mmCIF file with all atom_site columns, all heavy atoms in Angstrom:
data_model
loop_
_atom_site.group_PDB
_atom_site.id
_atom_site.type_symbol
_atom_site.label_atom_id
_atom_site.label_alt_id
_atom_site.label_comp_id
_atom_site.label_asym_id
_atom_site.label_entity_id
_atom_site.label_seq_id
_atom_site.pdbx_PDB_ins_code
_atom_site.Cartn_x
_atom_site.Cartn_y
_atom_site.Cartn_z
_atom_site.occupancy
_atom_site.B_iso_or_equiv
_atom_site.pdbx_formal_charge
_atom_site.auth_seq_id
_atom_site.auth_comp_id
_atom_site.auth_asym_id
_atom_site.auth_atom_id
_atom_site.pdbx_PDB_model_num
ATOM 1  N N   . GLN F 1 30 ? 14.787 -5.390 -10.693 1.00 0.00 ? 38 GLN F N   1
ATOM 2  C CA  . GLN F 1 30 ? 14.581 -4.793 -9.380  1.00 0.00 ? 38 GLN F CA  1
ATOM 3  C C   . GLN F 1 30 ? 14.315 -3.301 -9.481  1.00 0.00 ? 38 GLN F C   1
ATOM 4  O O   . GLN F 1 30 ? 13.565 -2.748 -8.700  1.00 0.00 ? 38 GLN F O   1
ATOM 5  C CB  . GLN F 1 30 ? 15.795 -5.040 -8.494  1.00 0.00 ? 38 GLN F CB  1
ATOM 6  C CG  . GLN F 1 30 ? 15.928 -6.474 -8.077  1.00 0.00 ? 38 GLN F CG  1
ATOM 7  C CD  . GLN F 1 30 ? 17.124 -6.684 -7.179  1.00 0.00 ? 38 GLN F CD  1
ATOM 8  O OE1 . GLN F 1 30 ? 18.084 -5.935 -7.225  1.00 0.00 ? 38 GLN F OE1 1
ATOM 9  N NE2 . GLN F 1 30 ? 17.056 -7.707 -6.359  1.00 0.00 ? 38 GLN F NE2 1
ATOM 10 N N   . GLN F 1 31 ? 14.904 -2.639 -10.461 1.00 0.00 ? 39 GLN F N   1
ATOM 11 C CA  . GLN F 1 31 ? 14.691 -1.205 -10.634 1.00 0.00 ? 39 GLN F CA  1
ATOM 12 C C   . GLN F 1 31 ? 13.223 -0.929 -10.927 1.00 0.00 ? 39 GLN F C   1
ATOM 13 O O   . GLN F 1 31 ? 12.632 -0.025 -10.354 1.00 0.00 ? 39 GLN F O   1
ATOM 14 C CB  . GLN F 1 31 ? 15.563 -0.652 -11.750 1.00 0.00 ? 39 GLN F CB  1
ATOM 15 C CG  . GLN F 1 31 ? 15.415 0.842  -11.924 1.00 0.00 ? 39 GLN F CG  1
ATOM 16 C CD  . GLN F 1 31 ? 16.328 1.378  -13.009 1.00 0.00 ? 39 GLN F CD  1
ATOM 17 O OE1 . GLN F 1 31 ? 17.039 0.641  -13.663 1.00 0.00 ? 39 GLN F OE1 1
ATOM 18 N NE2 . GLN F 1 31 ? 16.315 2.678  -13.191 1.00 0.00 ? 39 GLN F NE2 1
ATOM 19 N N   . ALA F 1 32 ? 12.623 -1.696 -11.810 1.00 0.00 ? 40 ALA F N   1
ATOM 20 C CA  . ALA F 1 32 ? 11.210 -1.515 -12.119 1.00 0.00 ? 40 ALA F CA  1
ATOM 21 C C   . ALA F 1 32 ? 10.363 -1.815 -10.888 1.00 0.00 ? 40 ALA F C   1
ATOM 22 O O   . ALA F 1 32 ? 9.400  -1.113 -10.610 1.00 0.00 ? 40 ALA F O   1
ATOM 23 C CB  . ALA F 1 32 ? 10.804 -2.408 -13.282 1.00 0.00 ? 40 ALA F CB  1
ATOM 24 N N   . ASN F 1 33 ? 10.730 -2.847 -10.121 1.00 0.00 ? 41 ASN F N   1
ATOM 25 C CA  . ASN F 1 33 ? 9.986  -3.190 -8.919  1.00 0.00 ? 41 ASN F CA  1
ATOM 26 C C   . ASN F 1 33 ? 10.014 -2.036 -7.926  1.00 0.00 ? 41 ASN F C   1
ATOM 27 O O   . ASN F 1 33 ? 8.997  -1.709 -7.325  1.00 0.00 ? 41 ASN F O   1
ATOM 28 C CB  . ASN F 1 33 ? 10.551 -4.465 -8.291  1.00 0.00 ? 41 ASN F CB  1
ATOM 29 C CG  . ASN F 1 33 ? 9.659  -4.993 -7.181  1.00 0.00 ? 41 ASN F CG  1
ATOM 30 O OD1 . ASN F 1 33 ? 8.444  -4.977 -7.296  1.00 0.00 ? 41 ASN F OD1 1
ATOM 31 N ND2 . ASN F 1 33 ? 10.270 -5.444 -6.110  1.00 0.00 ? 41 ASN F ND2 1
ATOM 32 N N   . HIS F 1 34 ? 11.169 -1.394 -7.750  1.00 0.00 ? 42 HIS F N   1
ATOM 33 C CA  . HIS F 1 34 ? 11.252 -0.257 -6.840  1.00 0.00 ? 42 HIS F CA  1
ATOM 34 C C   . HIS F 1 34 ? 10.367 0.882  -7.321  1.00 0.00 ? 42 HIS F C   1
ATOM 35 O O   . HIS F 1 34 ? 9.659  1.499  -6.536  1.00 0.00 ? 42 HIS F O   1
ATOM 36 C CB  . HIS F 1 34 ? 12.698 0.221  -6.689  1.00 0.00 ? 42 HIS F CB  1
ATOM 37 C CG  . HIS F 1 34 ? 12.799 1.445  -5.839  1.00 0.00 ? 42 HIS F CG  1
ATOM 38 N ND1 . HIS F 1 34 ? 12.612 1.413  -4.478  1.00 0.00 ? 42 HIS F ND1 1
ATOM 39 C CD2 . HIS F 1 34 ? 13.021 2.736  -6.154  1.00 0.00 ? 42 HIS F CD2 1
ATOM 40 C CE1 . HIS F 1 34 ? 12.733 2.634  -3.998  1.00 0.00 ? 42 HIS F CE1 1
ATOM 41 N NE2 . HIS F 1 34 ? 12.976 3.456  -4.999  1.00 0.00 ? 42 HIS F NE2 1
ATOM 42 N N   . SER F 1 35 ? 10.386 1.162  -8.624  1.00 0.00 ? 43 SER F N   1
ATOM 43 C CA  . SER F 1 35 ? 9.552  2.224  -9.167  1.00 0.00 ? 43 SER F CA  1
ATOM 44 C C   . SER F 1 35 ? 8.079  1.919  -8.959  1.00 0.00 ? 43 SER F C   1
ATOM 45 O O   . SER F 1 35 ? 7.297  2.802  -8.632  1.00 0.00 ? 43 SER F O   1
ATOM 46 C CB  . SER F 1 35 ? 9.830  2.415  -10.661 1.00 0.00 ? 43 SER F CB  1
ATOM 47 O OG  . SER F 1 35 ? 11.144 2.871  -10.859 1.00 0.00 ? 43 SER F OG  1
ATOM 48 N N   . LEU F 1 36 ? 7.688  0.673  -9.151  1.00 0.00 ? 44 LEU F N   1
ATOM 49 C CA  . LEU F 1 36 ? 6.302  0.292  -8.955  1.00 0.00 ? 44 LEU F CA  1
ATOM 50 C C   . LEU F 1 36 ? 5.891  0.417  -7.500  1.00 0.00 ? 44 LEU F C   1
ATOM 51 O O   . LEU F 1 36 ? 4.780  0.826  -7.189  1.00 0.00 ? 44 LEU F O   1
ATOM 52 C CB  . LEU F 1 36 ? 6.070  -1.141 -9.442  1.00 0.00 ? 44 LEU F CB  1
ATOM 53 C CG  . LEU F 1 36 ? 6.149  -1.331 -10.946 1.00 0.00 ? 44 LEU F CG  1
ATOM 54 C CD1 . LEU F 1 36 ? 6.089  -2.808 -11.287 1.00 0.00 ? 44 LEU F CD1 1
ATOM 55 C CD2 . LEU F 1 36 ? 5.051  -0.575 -11.651 1.00 0.00 ? 44 LEU F CD2 1
ATOM 56 N N   . LYS F 1 37 ? 6.793  0.082  -6.585  1.00 0.00 ? 45 LYS F N   1
ATOM 57 C CA  . LYS F 1 37 ? 6.474  0.110  -5.163  1.00 0.00 ? 45 LYS F CA  1
ATOM 58 C C   . LYS F 1 37 ? 6.154  1.517  -4.681  1.00 0.00 ? 45 LYS F C   1
ATOM 59 O O   . LYS F 1 37 ? 5.473  1.698  -3.687  1.00 0.00 ? 45 LYS F O   1
ATOM 60 C CB  . LYS F 1 37 ? 7.633  -0.483 -4.352  1.00 0.00 ? 45 LYS F CB  1
ATOM 61 C CG  . LYS F 1 37 ? 7.238  -0.887 -2.959  1.00 0.00 ? 45 LYS F CG  1
ATOM 62 C CD  . LYS F 1 37 ? 8.332  -1.704 -2.316  1.00 0.00 ? 45 LYS F CD  1
ATOM 63 C CE  . LYS F 1 37 ? 7.884  -2.198 -0.960  1.00 0.00 ? 45 LYS F CE  1
ATOM 64 N NZ  . LYS F 1 37 ? 8.883  -3.016 -0.315  1.00 0.00 ? 45 LYS F NZ  1
#
Side-chain angles (χ1 to χ4, degrees):
Q38 289 181 335
Q39 182 178 2
N41 190 40
H42 176 72
S43 295
L44 290 172
K45 198 169 184 179

